[in-house]
Amino acid sequence: MLVHSRAARLAHWTLFLLLVVPVFALPLLMVVGASFADRWDGALPSAFTAAHYADLGRGQSLDALVTSLSTALVAGLAALTVGGWAALAARGSGRRLRHLLDGLFMLPLAVPSVVVGLALLVAFSKPPLLLNGTTTIVLLAHTVLVTSFAYQSVRAAIGRLDPALEQSAAGLGAPPAQVLRRVTLPLLLPSLTAAFGLCFALSMGELSATMMLYPPDWLPLPVRIFAATDRGALFTGAALAVALIASTLVVLAATARLRTRASYR
């Protein structure tokens, strides 16, 4: 702890709680409270029920949760593959190409996600690539939106690698493919795992582009939450939001555990 004085530590923690509780903790607690509320007449719920969670294990709610998990898994793996490979390619390229790749992968972050969705809708609404109204265009949109995070995470991790390890392996006669498979990728495994977790979490919460592109048979959970709250079913939407948060945290906890094991290796 950089703050050694007791009074300074007390002020530090007080400021921390004043910032964290209203901005982060309180909104989450309100969503959890609303998911169990039967009536909400004042500052707090006046009656409680678990009925809003009754449909989470079956029907459209379960289908929406499975759809979101599938979308996030595919988009996360695709983003990790594309972004990680591009980061590795940028490492051995010239300065101009590196800058070009940096700008290309940062472009989806420079525009709103709804613009990305519109661009894909316009680009793939006519032959020869007619993807409008299919699951593929939703997966493509999510991949485009999260690949930049995978690229930047892996790019930063590559910059911290000790080149002497790869040079030693190459000096012992290992071909480039074996150096990549036996040295580089194992060293990058913790960062790759963290990048996948970030991409997965971002994909799970994506709404703007998804609203423009999703077909009727591929309804992710954020869209279902929006639809529930839009028709006034706020408590049902809160229960769905809690399910979304919980499922995302479970996957993030699993990836964090894998990252820890990879770091020890």
Side-chain angles (χ1 to χ4, degrees), residues 29 41 43 47 53 65 76 84 88 97 106 120 130 143 151 155 174 207 264-265:
L29 291 175
D41 301 324
Y53 288 93
L65 178 59
L88 288 169
L97 183 56
M106 289 299 293
L120 294 175
L130 180 58
T143 302
Y151 173 79
R155 183 98 154 77
L207 176 62
Y264 281 125
R265 289 181 60 187

Side-chain angles (χ1 to χ4, degrees), residues 68-69 71-81 146-147 149-151 153-154 188-205 244-245 247-259:
S68 286
L69 291 172
T71 302
L73 178 62
V74 172
L77 291 176
L80 188 62
T81 302
V146 302
T147 297
F149 296 96
Y151 173 79
S153 298
V154 178
L188 291 176
L189 188 57
S191 298
L192 293 173
T193 307
F196 170 77
L198 177 60
C199 293
F200 182 91
L202 292 171
S203 178
M204 284 290 287
L244 178 66
I245 295 171
S247 57
T248 304
L249 289 178
V250 168
V251 175
L252 289 179
T255 55
R257 187 174 181 84
L258 290 175
R259 181 186 180 188

Side-chain angles (χ1 to χ4, degrees), residues 58-217:
R58 61 179 186 272
Q60 294 182 349
S61 298
L62 180 59
D63 292 341
L65 178 59
V66 173
T67 298
S68 286
L69 291 172
S70 303
T71 302
L73 178 62
V74 172
L77 291 176
L80 188 62
T81 302
V82 175
W85 192 261
L88 288 169
R91 182 189 187 188
S93 59
R95 181 179 178 182
R96 290 185 178 180
L97 183 56
R98 286 199 304 268
H99 286 252
L100 178 62
L101 286 173
D102 289 344
L104 180 64
F105 280 95
M106 289 299 293
L107 187 60
L109 297 180
V111 296
S113 58
V114 67
V115 176
V116 175
L118 179 61
L120 294 175
L121 189 64
V122 173
F124 299 111
S125 291
K126 293 182 179 181
L129 291 177
L130 180 58
L131 302 180
N132 187 15
T134 66
T135 301
T136 304
I137 196 171
V138 180
L139 298 175
L140 180 61
H142 281 240
T143 302
V144 169
L145 290 171
V146 302
T147 297
S148 56
F149 296 96
Y151 173 79
Q152 291 297 328
S153 298
V154 178
R155 183 98 154 77
I158 290 175
R160 297 192 298 268
L161 288 181
D162 186 357
L165 298 174
E166 296 170 305
Q167 293 170 2
S168 299
L172 293 174
Q178 188 174 9
V179 174
L180 176 66
R181 181 172 58 88
R182 300 294 297 273
V183 179
T184 307
L185 290 181
L187 290 174
L188 291 176
L189 188 57
S191 298
L192 293 173
T193 307
F196 170 77
L198 177 60
C199 293
F200 182 91
L202 292 171
S203 178
M204 284 290 287
E206 164 55 35
L207 176 62
S208 299
T210 309
M211 287 287 292
M212 302 186 65
L213 301 171
Y214 76 94
D217 59 344

